[in-house]
Structures are given as structure tokens and as C-alpha cells.
Amino acid sequence: MKQFKAESKRLLDLMINSIYTHKEIFLRELISNASDAIDKLCFIALTDDKLNMSRDDFKIFIKPDKENRTLTITDNGIGMTADEVEEYITQIAFSGATEFLEKYKDKTNSDQMIGHFGLGFYSAFMVADEVHIDSLSYKEGSTPVHWTCDGSTEYDMSEGSKTTVGTEITLFLNEDCLEFANEYRVREVLEKYCSFMPVEIFLSKANAPQEYETIDESELKDDDVVVEHIHEDAKYEEKEKEDGTKEQVEVSPAKEKVKINKRPVSISDIHPLWTKHPNECSDEDYKEFYRKVFNDYREPLFWIHLNMDYPFNLKGILYFPRINTEYDSIEGTIKLYNNQVFIADNIKEVIPEYLMLLKGVIDCPDLPLNVSRSALQNDGFVKKISEYISKKFADKLSGMCKTDRENYEKYWDDINPFIKYGCIKDEKFSKKMMDYILFKNIDGKYLTLEDCINENKKEEAPAENTEEKAETTENTENTENADEKKEPEKTTVYYVTDEIQQSQYINMFRSQGMDAVILKHNIDSAFITHAERYNEHVTFQRIDADLTNDMKDESGEDLTDATNALTDLFRKVLDKKDLTVKVENLKDENVSSMVTLSEESRRMQDMMKMYGMTGMDPSMFGGQETLILNAKHPLVQYILKNGENDNTSLFCEQLYDLAMISHKPLSPDEMTKFVSRSNQIMMLLAK
């Protein structure tokens, strides 16, 4: 028996008890080592004619044995000599073990332990009381080696009996980990961590009865084990001819088949979709891969294929899922791989915050991992990857808007909150995307910000007057310098936040041939401020912020006296001393009353809600609504004519509430009073 060096023993204890947080990780580590061994031999085979082997010849075999309570991992990779076992297995981390321990003696958290030592083999001792290694090097004349260790300070190494090149590791499982002697549990772990390993992995159950399958003889392979040759006679059916006679017609020709030992099926897909060039992949390939990896029956909206070699190696596929924001979590899943070896789910560091709903896989051998390969280190490199993903996403969307506008519009309602949030959070992303942000108008048409500006310019353009044009020409020289000092002329883009509640205002806009866009998501309040900063020639205003001149009939009589009279009356009846009332001649005679609130006041109120300042009085910031009364409406005329009495007081309250309903929801108490008053008014009509 031989003993570990003291520092190696201490490091072994640290490995088992501190670095790996999930016991199942051991299987990933051992298979990764086997894959590395195969890679090394593959590389050597490229230049060594004596090694007549191709990539397809290399395999990894996993065999759980419930009766003997063992788990065996076998590869036909490079193998090891006794000296190499001593060097690579016994002396953990080589001479760096002491330095490693000294550096991390006070840092037992795996996320803090950064290393490049290839320590994965020793994760086996988390689940095994004893570990055996049988290995035979590819080197000519090599002697097989047998190594055993029970996790103590001692190990034994002797000449082995292995006859084929490669390495076999046998784990004698401890009482707490007998689950890994179960075929189904092992399969579960393999499918999680090794589904896309670059080497075929085969799982077989120890002492399992032989299974068979029957194939056409033409499909027979050299390595198939033939059990039986089977001849199937041709099949005939009796059919009637045109002349009424019958004949035997061959419907199935004779077949030569063979019964063979059932071919093992690899658990790993050695050529996953992300390793292929995008030109090699069809839409159905992408959808099938999505269904397979994420078990989501809904088709993704679209996807991005990442394929980068410089300045870092990164491949992957990111999907924008179809989600129901009312019921679904908006947090996606990003599966991280390192050379096709699964590392972790939901790695947030490499994905921009505003794209967290994405689902996908990323394979990046250059990513800085901790010693247990379970988490990313905080590194500027990770930030570069995040920026690259953001750029690719923006390129995908902008390209789609230019070349596939129909589908882009189809997806827009689902993706727009995330895109807008990205524009607010990321300046680089904003510069790439702002010209491709879509706004849906009240007629369901999608417009860019530039489209909105152009449409509203048409609406605002006054009829050109010849005299005014001549005067402008004469004064051009005098005003050039003054124009330079003026703020840029702004175009107002009107918006709606609730199509139902603001339907009265929408109808008024439509009647005047005016347009508005729908901005009803929570993010829109902040986004319009961002859009105004992005384009200094535009300002956003909700349709109930003020009355436009197009909605007023300026030809009527002066309404100053009427405004003063109704202001006094409504303030008294409603007990609102600061209420602002305006009487206007509206073109739409069906509108009796409406409420407006300035855009500045509304945004201030939204900000107060955002920061939880609900207890503050909105009027401190000028947040008072204005009640607009239509002088053309019979009810308003009745109130003006009759002054204060029981009926007019009732009408004043009702007109105010009707205006508020189109502006914002009534409080429970206000709604109760409104319903009661409506019944009272109907009773008056019934008398």
C-alpha cells in the first residue's frame, strides 16, 4: 500500500466536502474525463498511421449494477501507464496542491474557488466507498495498471488485466448513494448533463437479458451480431381482372431479413444543432430542437443562431418563447455548456437583464468557470458575451423589420415590453433598435416613430396662404439667426392607455380624422420619456391631456360668462373649491362633458405611484383635472338656463362622474353614488 502526500489528502477532503454541491455531478466529471481521453487519442490518430481509428470508433459505456452496488464507466480513449496514473491521479493538481490549499484554505464556497487543476475524478468519492481504475495506454508495449483507493490516506497500484486500450473506472457505491446503481436514475443524470457530449455514450444494465431486433439484410453492419437469418416469402392477393377472371398479384416481394442483437442507442447527440452552420438548419430543425430541450409544445416566436469564433469561441441558439404574460413566468432558461458538456441551467450572467425570458443553449469553451464547473466567475469576458448577445438580438429584430415586416408585426405585441425595457436600460441596444420600435395605432396599423411623426405632421400642417408665404419669403433673412436659437419644432404624438375607458376621446379623434397610438403596458410610461430624449422633434401626449383645436368650434359666441357661472355652480355642488371648469363649443354635439389632465401632471402622478408616494397630494405638482363642458349639449344648456335647483345639482354630479369614468376608474364609494344617482334620474323620467 502507498500513501497520498499530506497536501493531496487534505485537498481530497476539500474536494469531497466543499467544492461539489450536488452529488450527481460526479458522473458528469468522470464522463468528461473519458471524453478528454478520447479527444487526446483522436488527435494522435490524425498523425499516427499505426492507429487506424476514426472518430466514430470511440465510445463511452456506462453500466450500473444493482446487485453488486457498483457503477462502471468505460472508455476506449488514450489510457494511462502506471507512471501517468501516479502523476495524474495520485498527485492531485501535481505540485500545486499545497499552493492551492494555502490560497483557498479560508474559502470553502465553491463559487470562490477558482482553479485549473482537473480535479473532477475525485468527485467519485462523494458517492463511493472505494474506487478502482483499470487502464491500458495506447503506447506500444504498455502494461495494464490496476489502481484502488478507499478514500483514505492509502492507495494500491499493481499490474492489471485489461486487454483493450482505454480506461475503466469502477465505483463501489456507499450506502447513501445506491440510487446510482439504478439504471433509470443514471439515465436521468446522463440526459441532464451528457445529452450533447461529443462522444457517443451507451447505458446498459448489468446482467440484463439480451434484447433483439429484426432488420433488412441490406441494413446489416459489420459490428452487428447476427442471431438468425430470416426469409420472408412474397405475399400475394387475388384480384379480379377487367374480363371478370381472377389472378394472383404480388403485393409484397420476398424479403431477406436478419435477427440481430439489439443495437445500443447513444444517449448523447454528438452533433447538436448549435454546432452546425445556420445554413444547414431548417425551421423545423430549430422547432424540433426547442421541443426536445425545453419540453414546450408551443412554437417559439423566433430564434437566433450564435456562431462566433473571434474574439471568443461561442455557439448556441436562443429562442424567444411564446408566453402568456398573465399566467407564465417571464423568466427563461439558458442552458450553459462547455465543449458540449452541460454546466448549469439559467446562467443569468451572460444574458442581458431585459432578455431574461429567452430560452436557449450557449456553448462557450472560453467561459471562466469555477473549479467545480458549476458557476461563472465574475469576469469582463462574461460582459463581452452579454454585449454580443444583445447585438445579435438587435440585428435579428432590425433585419426582420426590414425584410419580414409581416411576421415582425405579428410578434410585436408579445415582444415589445422587453424591447422597450432594453432600450431604456442599454444605450447601445437603444441606438440599434429605436428606429425599429413599432407603435400600433387605434386602427390596428403598426407605425415606426418616424411614421408617427410624419402622420401627425400631415394632420398639423395648416392650409398654405399666399400672402403669408410672400411675407415669409421677405422676412427669411431676418429670421434665420433667430431660428437657430429656437428650440426644435416638435410634433405631438397622441397615445391611448386604455381603449375602453378612453373610447369617448378615441371617437372624437376619429371624427376629426386624427390618429393616436396605443401604449398600455406598464413600461410605456418610462419608454415615452426615453423616446422623447432619443428624438428631440417629438413629444407624447395622452389624448385626454387637452383639447385640440380640431375638436373645437371657434365660430360660436364668447363663453367667458358661461364658464364663470358654471365654475361657481359646479364647485359648490361638488364641494370642490379648486375645480377648474371650462365651457367650450365642441364639434361633437353628443359629448356633454369630459376631463383633461396635462401630460406633465400625469407623468408626475405616474412617478409618484412608481416610487410609492401615494400619500402625497397630486395637486402639489399641478395635478388637478379640468372639467370640460360642451356648450352645445342640451344638458349643459339646461344647467346654464336653470341655475341651482334639485335637478341641476343632480345633473352637475352626474356630468362630472360621466366625465371621470372616461378618464379614470371611479373609487368604490364614487361608483356606489353614481349608480344610486343614475337610478334616481331614471325615476324622475318614470314619473
Side-chain angles (χ1 to χ4, degrees):
M1 300 293 286
K2 299 181 180 180
Q3 287 194 331
F4 284 105
K5 292 182 178 180
E7 65 268 23
S8 294
K9 173 56 184 169
R10 291 165 57 198
L11 186 54
L12 175 59
D13 293 337
L14 188 61
M15 286 283 302
I16 297 171
N17 299 315
S18 301
I19 294 181
Y20 293 99
T21 55
H22 302 288
K23 289 184 177 181
E24 64 187 28
I25 292 290
F26 84 93
L27 192 52
R28 182 194 70 186
E29 295 299 304
L30 294 180
I31 293 176
S32 295
N33 289 345
S35 179
D36 291 342
I38 288 172
D39 286 341
K40 290 176 182 177
L41 190 55
C42 278
F43 182 76
I44 294 170
L46 293 175
T47 56
D48 191 342
D49 295 334
K50 295 179 181 179
L51 297 174
N52 187 23
M53 300 181 76
S54 69
R55 184 79 194 188
D56 295 337
D57 297 324
F58 296 101
K59 304 181 189 318
I60 298 173
F61 298 92
I62 314 296
K63 183 177 289 187
D65 188 339
K66 197 172 183 178
E67 292 182 8
N68 294 311
R69 308 200 301 185
T70 62
L71 179 66
T72 305
I73 299 97
T74 307
D75 69 74
N76 57 345
I78 195 169
M80 291 181 287
T81 63
D83 290 341
E84 287 169 338
V85 172
E86 187 76 37
E87 181 179 7
Y88 295 122
I89 301 297
T90 304
Q91 299 179 37
I92 308 174
F94 315 117
S95 61
T98 302
E99 182 184 351
F100 181 87
L101 282 169
E102 185 63 28
K103 188 173 182 180
Y104 297 104
K105 62 182 180 180
D106 298 321
K107 300 179 180 181
T108 56
N109 186 307
S110 64
D111 292 338
Q112 298 174 296
M113 301 182 67
I114 314 303
H116 309 279
F117 303 94
L119 305 175
F121 167 75
Y122 283 89
S123 62
F125 288 99
M126 292 192 299
V127 299
D129 287 329
E130 188 172 325
V131 177
H132 291 190
I133 298 177
D134 288 280
S135 189
L136 175 62
S137 174
Y138 81 100
K139 297 175 182 177
E140 192 173 347
S142 295
T143 302
V145 59
H146 179 71
W147 181 95
T148 64
C149 178
D150 60 2
S152 66
T153 59
E154 296 180 336
Y155 66 94
D156 184 64
M157 190 162 59
S158 60
E159 185 173 329
S161 58
K162 189 170 175 56
T163 57
T164 56
V165 172
T167 301
E168 180 176 282
I169 298 176
T170 304
L171 280 63
F172 294 82
L173 301 168
N174 61 44
E175 288 290 338
D176 296 331
C177 299
L178 293 180
E179 62 186 280
F180 298 110
N182 183 288
E183 176 192 1
Y184 301 101
R185 175 65 173 120
V186 174
R187 182 178 293 277
E188 180 187 26
V189 177
L190 291 175
E191 288 178 346
K192 177 179 180 181
Y193 292 100
C194 305
S195 292
F196 303 106
M197 288 281 290
V199 181
E200 288 187 314
I201 301 171
F202 298 96
L203 174 65
S204 62
K205 183 180 178 182
N207 304 316
Q210 181 61 56
E211 296 182 83
Y212 306 96
E213 62 180 311
T214 302
I215 62 172
D216 289 334
E217 194 169 89
S218 60
E219 299 174 357
L220 192 65
K221 297 180 180 179
D222 292 339
D223 57 349
D224 286 328
V225 178
V226 178
V227 179
E228 181 184 2
H229 290 271
I230 303 171
H231 173 78
E232 290 186 357
D233 294 331
K235 295 180 180 178
Y236 296 87
E237 285 185 2
E238 189 177 70
K239 292 188 177 181
E240 187 174 338
K241 298 182 356 182
E242 292 183 0
D243 60 1
T245 60
K246 297 182 179 179
E247 66 174 349
Q248 294 289 323
V249 179
E250 186 182 79
V251 293
S252 178
K255 295 179 181 178
E256 300 297 330
K257 293 190 172 184
V258 287
K259 181 181 179 182
I260 62 172
N261 289 351
K262 188 175 180 180
R263 294 171 179 171
V265 179
S266 174
I267 285 177
S268 62
D269 178 1
I270 63 175
H271 300 297
L273 200 63
W274 75 76
T275 64
K276 301 177 182 178
H277 194 277
N279 294 339
E280 302 174 16
C281 310
S282 67
D283 287 355
E284 188 53 42
D285 289 335
Y286 286 113
K287 293 174 184 177
E288 179 59 32
F289 184 78
Y290 179 80
R291 287 191 290 268
K292 175 184 176 182
V293 176
F294 300 104
N295 296 316
D296 191 346
Y297 69 91
R298 294 168 298 185
E299 289 187 357
L301 297 177
F302 59 90
W303 50 85
I304 302 169
H305 197 136
L306 307 174
N307 192 350
M308 188 177 192
D309 296 321
Y310 182 82
F312 46 80
N313 188 350
L314 184 144
K315 290 180 172 55
I317 304 172
L318 299 179
Y319 294 88
F320 205 111
R322 193 181 300 275
I323 61 172
N324 185 334
T325 53
E326 188 173 352
Y327 300 105
D328 295 346
S329 169
I330 61 171
E331 185 171 331
T333 301
I334 302 297
K335 295 180 179 289
L336 178 65
Y337 291 79
N338 189 306
N339 283 321
Q340 298 179 221
V341 180
F342 177 78
I343 302 301
D345 272 322
N346 209 17
I347 296 296
K348 298 180 179 179
E349 295 93 331
V350 298
I351 300 295
E353 181 184 2
Y354 48 89
L355 296 179
M356 281 300 175
L357 82 161
L358 295 180
K359 293 183 178 181
V361 298
I362 290 177
D363 191 341
C364 184
D366 299 332
L367 276 175
L369 302 173
N370 65 7
V371 70
S372 67
R373 298 198 287 187
S374 60
L376 294 177
Q377 300 179 32
N378 293 322
D379 194 277
F381 183 79
V382 176
K383 184 180 179 182
K384 290 179 181 178
I385 292 178
S386 178
E387 291 175 350
Y388 169 72
I389 291 172
S390 177
K391 178 182 178 300
K392 291 291 291 184
F393 191 75
D395 291 343
K396 174 72 175 182
L397 291 175
S398 59
M400 195 184 301
C401 186
K402 294 174 187 175
T403 62
D404 193 9
R405 181 66 175 259
E406 183 179 351
N407 276 325
Y408 189 65
E409 292 180 358
K410 191 188 302 182
Y411 305 147
W412 184 251
D413 288 350
D414 291 311
I415 69 176
N416 84 84
F418 309 98
I419 308 307
K420 291 173 180 176
Y421 182 55
C423 289
I424 296 171
K425 293 288 291 185
D426 187 336
E427 188 65 29
K428 291 181 180 179
F429 184 77
S430 177
K431 287 180 180 179
K432 287 181 174 293
M433 281 305 303
M434 279 302 297
D435 290 338
Y436 306 101
I437 297 291
L438 297 186
F439 299 85
K440 186 164 69 173
N441 71 2
I442 53 179
D443 295 322
K445 181 181 177 181
Y446 289 91
L447 307 168
T448 64
L449 184 58
E450 192 65 29
D451 293 335
C452 292
I453 294 173
N454 293 335
E455 287 292 323
N456 281 277
K457 278 183 178 178
K458 293 177 186 177
E459 296 167 3
E460 296 173 357
E464 199 169 42
N465 185 289
T466 306
E467 293 181 7
E468 290 179 356
K469 185 176 180 181
E471 186 179 345
T472 302
T473 304
E474 292 175 7
N475 296 320
T476 298
E477 295 181 2
N478 298 329
T479 58
E480 281 182 353
N481 293 332
D483 289 341
E484 290 178 2
K485 299 178 181 179
K486 289 181 180 177
E487 291 187 5
E489 186 178 344
K490 294 190 177 185
T491 299
T492 301
V493 176
Y494 297 97
Y495 67 94
V496 177
T497 57
D498 190 320
E499 297 160 271
I500 297 175
Q501 191 161 32
Q502 295 154 23
S503 58
Q504 177 178 269
Y505 302 91
I506 293 174
N507 291 333
M508 292 176 66
F509 263 60
R510 281 199 173 113
S511 67
Q512 302 304 317
M514 299 177 67
D515 197 11
V517 298
I518 300 170
L519 298 173
K520 58 184 179 181
H521 195 275
N522 293 337
I523 195 65
D524 287 323
S525 177
F527 180 72
I528 59 176
T529 303
H530 176 81
E532 289 170 340
R533 288 200 302 268
Y534 172 79
N535 192 322
E536 60 181 359
H537 297 284
V538 67
T539 182
F540 285 82
Q541 182 172 297
R542 209 169 90 171
I543 59 173
D544 59 352
D546 200 0
L547 287 177
T548 67
N549 291 331
D550 292 326
M551 297 178 183
K552 300 178 187 178
D553 184 358
E554 303 291 354
S555 62
E557 61 185 26
D558 183 63
L559 298 173
T560 303
D561 292 340
T563 297
N564 292 333
L566 291 182
T567 295
D568 293 338
L569 178 60
F570 273 78
R571 284 178 175 178
K572 182 178 180 181
V573 171
L574 300 173
D575 194 24
K576 295 180 179 292
K577 296 179 181 180
D578 298 323
L579 178 66
T580 301
V581 180
K582 287 185 180 180
V583 181
E584 301 281 3
N585 282 311
L586 303 182
K587 290 181 180 180
D588 191 343
E589 297 182 1
N590 295 317
V591 177
S592 60
S593 60
M594 55 190 294
V595 167
T596 63
L597 176 66
S598 72
E599 186 67 20
E600 294 77 14
S601 297
R602 176 175 293 104
R603 294 191 191 188
M604 184 59 69
Q605 290 186 10
D606 291 341
M607 189 182 298
M608 290 167 62
K609 291 177 183 177
M610 184 185 300
Y611 291 102
M613 302 165 62
T614 53
M616 297 185 66
D617 184 4
S619 63
M620 294 172 57
F621 308 98
Q624 285 292 324
E625 294 91 355
T626 297
L627 176 64
I628 307 293
L629 299 172
N630 186 6
K632 292 184 177 183
H633 198 276
L635 274 176
V636 177
Q637 293 174 358
Y638 176 87
I639 296 172
L640 269 172
K641 187 181 294 185
N642 291 275
E644 185 179 2
N645 59 45
D646 290 342
N647 287 346
T648 55
S649 296
L650 213 60
F651 293 156
C652 286
E653 291 177 335
Q654 196 74 354
L655 284 175
Y656 180 77
D657 281 353
L658 285 170
M660 291 301 296
I661 287 174
S662 298
H663 177 65
K664 65 181 182 181
L666 297 179
S667 69
D669 185 52
E670 290 169 339
M671 181 56 73
T672 301
K673 291 179 180 178
F674 174 76
V675 173
S676 176
R677 192 185 316 114
S678 298
N679 290 329
Q680 192 177 348
I681 292 172
M682 286 190 289
M683 288 302 299
L684 290 175
L685 295 172
K687 291 180 180 178

